[in-house]
Each structure stands twice: as C-alpha cells, then as structure tokens.
Amino acid sequence: MFGPHRLKNLCCATLVAVLATSPSQAGDAAAPPSAPVLKRQQALVKGLLVKEISSSVFAGKASQMNATATPLAVPQSPSLLYFNQEVGDDMTTALREVRKHLTVRHGGWPVGYDIQLAFEDKYGAKDGPSAALACAVMLESLITGLEIDPALALTGDLNADGSIQPVGGVADKIRGAAARECTLVGIPKGNEPAISDLLALEGIAPFLGPQLLTLSRLDDALALAPAVRSPALARAIADFTSVQIVLKNRGLPSLANPYVKDRLASIVAAAPNHLSARLLLQVSLKQAPQFLTLRGSMDQIDQTAEAIFKASCTRQTDVLAPNELDKALKRFVLLRPKLEPRVRRYADSACELGHILLRFQKTPPRTPAAQSEYAASLKGAASQVDTELDLLRTDRAVADELFK
C-alpha cells in the first residue's frame, strides 16, 4: 500500500495498526471518544536546516515545511503520520516523539486522515532531529486551528514530555533564516551558548536581522507561533523592531543611549526568553562575555585549522586552494583573543603547524637534507598538536563542560 520510504517513516503504533487491521474491520470500529478532531487540513511553517559543505563547515537554510491531512478511505482508521520523502533514522525517531507528546497532550490521536509532512525541497534526503519542533507546531495547528505566523522559523528537537532539546548548527540556521527574510526565529534554550558565541565573533550585526527567542517547551513555541500573540509578547517584539531601526541607523554607539538601554530592559522584563534583547542589553551594560564558550572555542579552532590539518595529514600543500593556509593563519590571529583561555595552547600548536606548512609551500626544500629537516619539523609540530589535544581530552573539567 505504501512505498518503502513511507513504511519506514510510519510511527510504530500506526504501522502495527495498518498491518493488523483490514479495511472491513476498521470500518466496524468506532472512533475512540478522546480522539481529537482536526480543525485544519493544512499548516505551514519554516523549518531551519543545515547542509555540510566540508568536514566542519555548514550552510543554513530555511525550508518551507507543510503538514497536509487528507481523508482516509476508512474514516475511523487511526490517522497515519509520516514524511512523504526520504528521511533518516534520527528524523523518524524524532517524529515518533512528537506524536507521543501530542497524543498525551490531546488525550488521543486523530482518526480518519493521512497526514503527510514535507519540506519544499522534497527530493533531497533529510536527517537529524531539528525539524521535530516545526513538525509539532504544524500538527498542533491541524488539531487546534492555530494560525502560524508566516515570518516565523523554528528549529529544535522535541521529547515526548514536551521539552525542547538543543540541536546543532544554530548560528548557520539563523543566517539561513535571515536570507529567507524571516523576522522571528525560535531556538532551543539549550542553544543559548552558541548565540553568545555568535555575539563574541560577529558583534551585534546578526541581531539586526531575525529576532531570536529561546524555547524550553512546546508551549513556548505555541506562544510565539501565532500571528496574534499575547499583548506582552507582541509589544516586546514591536519594541525590539524599533531598537533594531535605531541600531541600523546609528550603529553600535547607540547602545549607550539611556533610551535604548531602558527599552531593551523593558523588553527583557516582558519577554525573558527574548534572547536578542537580552544579549544586546548585556552589551549596552558592558556585561557581554569576553570569550567564546569552551565548545565554541574548540569548534572555531577546528574550522580554522581544517586546511592545516588536511595538508599535514598528506604532507602536501598542493591539496589546498591558493592562499588557504595564509587565510587560516590570519584567521587565527583574529580569533586567539576571543578563545577560552584553556584552549589557546591547542590553537597555538595548530597555528605553528600551519606556519611550517606555509614556509614549505612558499619555499619547497630542494636538497635531501632540507627535506629531512622539513619532515622532522612537521612531525614535531603535528605531535605537539596531538599532545595539546590529549591534555584537553584528559582534563576532567574540560571533558565535563564539553559533554554538557
């Protein structure tokens, strides 16, 4: 009845019901008295995705998602729920959790519909749990009639208890939302450190685009999703828009303006989860973090050193694009003051390895003696990188912080 990719995306309970119940049996069964009735047959929201460009570089995208419910031939059959395109195991598992939570939330699962979930680019494979929140909001819209703001974009995993869990690539996803002209972005509260890192790396510029609000539970997302929101949240969003206009016109110095400070403070008081306002308020009060987080520092080192490590492994610099090593070393100079102090020795060792490779690239050794000297210096520098990394890995405090 279904193609292979549809079968693997059915929730376990639904799949068992489809295989075990014939159409005649399903027609004789009465709908459970607690089954919610759909108030809409289609809902849309923008979900945020990332695509890997290289081993440590990602590009974000806001993809228009939709949930469409069409009637089943047997009206009393349990509603089916699946993606109508190829997705991986993680996304399938995430959808099961969404269904569990909504079943508990509404005291049952709808009957009589074939509910298909889709991304606008429906021909490419997808995976990961970060679309779970967007799926939950769309399904809630089908069940309750919620009208979703078309300017909203969401990312986040969802547990069966309704808690929203952090996901990867949030900074890249925000760039994707900005490119799609989304004005509001909901992200998991657990991803706050990544946005703090974004402020440390890029200043206030990213906060002049979509407004970022953190979400802890599905209820938080459902408060943000409607086009018509609570008066306090609506006012906070409107007030932040006015602050953004001032910042765009007058730049960073305007954060020192008492009016701007007061407006940011009132936004945070009205909407404590308004992360954009909270971070800009910290900047205005000179309380913003001075360094990247530990995880953010490690990520930045690995991204910056990607070309260095690649050339070191092959002992060849011709595998790199022109000026790639030079760009990486210049990037390290700018990055080092922002790194969490405990990882600076690791960054310095990677930088030294890059300098050796760059010298070889500019002046290749010609004689056997020079080649031997180069090989020895390269080996020694690479060994130092490994040593510094091992020291971090065996530091219990560092390991605990990275594992959180």
Side-chain angles (χ1 to χ4, degrees):
M1 182 164 63
F2 299 102
H5 72 283
R6 288 190 178 184
L7 278 174
K8 75 175 184 179
N9 292 317
L10 291 174
C11 299
C12 290
T14 300
L15 182 56
V16 171
V18 170
L19 296 177
T21 307
S22 69
S24 60
Q25 290 173 321
D28 293 338
S34 60
V37 178
L38 298 189
K39 292 185 171 60
R40 301 172 63 93
Q41 286 187 249
Q42 191 165 63
L44 297 91
V45 73
K46 292 180 180 68
L48 298 177
L49 309 172
V50 288
K51 180 179 181 180
E52 188 172 9
I53 304 301
S54 63
S55 61
S56 58
V57 179
F58 297 84
K61 178 181 180 180
S63 177
Q64 182 69 69
M65 298 180 65
N66 71 79
T68 303
T70 55
L72 290 169
V74 182
Q76 301 304 318
S77 297
S79 290
L80 309 182
L81 175 64
Y82 56 94
F83 289 97
N84 68 354
Q85 61 195 96
E86 183 181 354
V87 300
D89 292 340
D90 288 346
M91 193 168 286
T92 302
T93 298
L95 184 59
R96 291 193 187 110
E97 293 294 291
V98 168
R99 174 174 167 156
K100 288 176 189 175
H101 177 65
L102 292 179
T103 299
V104 172
R105 181 183 183 89
H106 295 284
W109 182 249
V111 298
Y113 286 95
D114 179 17
I115 304 174
Q116 299 185 25
L117 304 172
F119 299 88
E120 61 183 343
D121 47 339
K122 54 184 175 294
Y123 297 109
K126 306 286 189 302
D127 200 7
S130 61
L133 178 58
C135 292
V137 170
M138 288 191 297
L139 293 169
E140 184 75 9
S141 176
L142 297 185
I143 294 170
T144 67
L146 172 72
E147 187 74 33
I148 301 172
D149 186 343
L152 173 69
L154 296 169
T155 187
D157 191 11
L158 186 79
N159 282 348
D161 64 357
S163 62
I164 296 172
Q165 301 302 311
V167 292
V170 171
D172 298 302
K173 292 174 180 178
I174 291 169
R175 295 185 187 96
R180 193 68 184 263
E181 298 185 347
C182 301
T183 59
L184 293 170
V185 173
I187 67 169
K189 182 173 176 57
N191 285 121
E192 277 191 25
I195 309 306
S196 176
D197 286 342
L198 184 62
L199 177 64
L201 286 169
E202 301 183 22
I204 69 169
F207 304 93
L208 303 183
Q211 300 185 39
L212 310 179
L213 288 92
T214 58
L215 311 170
S216 298
R217 300 191 59 80
L218 179 59
D219 285 335
D220 298 331
L222 297 178
L224 179 62
V228 179
R229 302 177 178 89
S230 70
L233 183 54
R235 180 61 184 271
I237 291 170
D239 284 351
F240 191 78
T241 300
S242 68
V243 170
Q244 287 179 312
I245 292 172
V246 173
L247 291 172
K248 289 175 183 177
N249 291 335
R250 302 180 186 177
L252 181 61
S254 61
L255 279 175
N257 185 303
Y259 168 81
V260 173
K261 289 183 181 180
D262 289 345
R263 183 59 62 92
L264 288 170
S266 69
I267 294 168
V268 173
N273 65 327
H274 199 302
L275 183 57
S276 295
R278 187 146 40 88
L279 290 176
L280 290 186
L281 181 60
Q282 289 178 6
V283 174
S284 73
L285 299 174
K286 301 187 184 305
Q287 296 174 355
Q290 298 300 305
F291 305 119
L292 296 171
T293 62
L294 181 62
R295 181 179 297 279
S297 295
M298 292 296 290
D299 288 345
Q300 288 298 315
I301 292 171
D302 290 342
Q303 289 176 27
T304 304
E306 182 180 14
I308 294 171
F309 294 155
K310 179 180 179 182
S312 175
C313 288
T314 61
R315 295 194 177 185
Q316 298 293 328
T317 57
D318 55 5
V319 298
L320 304 177
N323 299 322
E324 196 170 359
L325 280 174
D326 195 45
K327 290 177 182 177
L329 292 171
K330 288 178 179 177
R331 169 68 176 160
F332 265 124
V333 172
L334 297 174
L335 182 63
R336 192 183 189 280
K338 301 176 182 178
L339 293 174
E340 208 272 7
R342 286 174 291 178
V343 305
R344 287 180 179 169
R345 287 175 59 92
Y346 173 49
D348 292 343
S349 66
C351 195
E352 176 59 26
L353 179 60
H355 280 296
I356 293 172
L357 289 163
L358 185 62
R359 287 198 297 271
F360 166 73
Q361 187 179 53
K362 291 182 175 179
T363 311
R366 302 296 183 187
T367 66
Q371 291 171 358
S372 177
E373 181 182 354
Y374 163 69
S377 61
L378 187 64
K379 181 179 179 180
S383 176
Q384 187 62 36
V385 171
D386 291 340
T387 297
E388 297 298 340
L389 185 57
D390 285 342
L391 287 172
L392 290 172
R393 286 172 173 166
T394 55
D395 185 313
R396 183 62 180 267
V398 169
D400 288 346
E401 193 169 336
L402 289 174
F403 187 71
K404 285 193 296 185

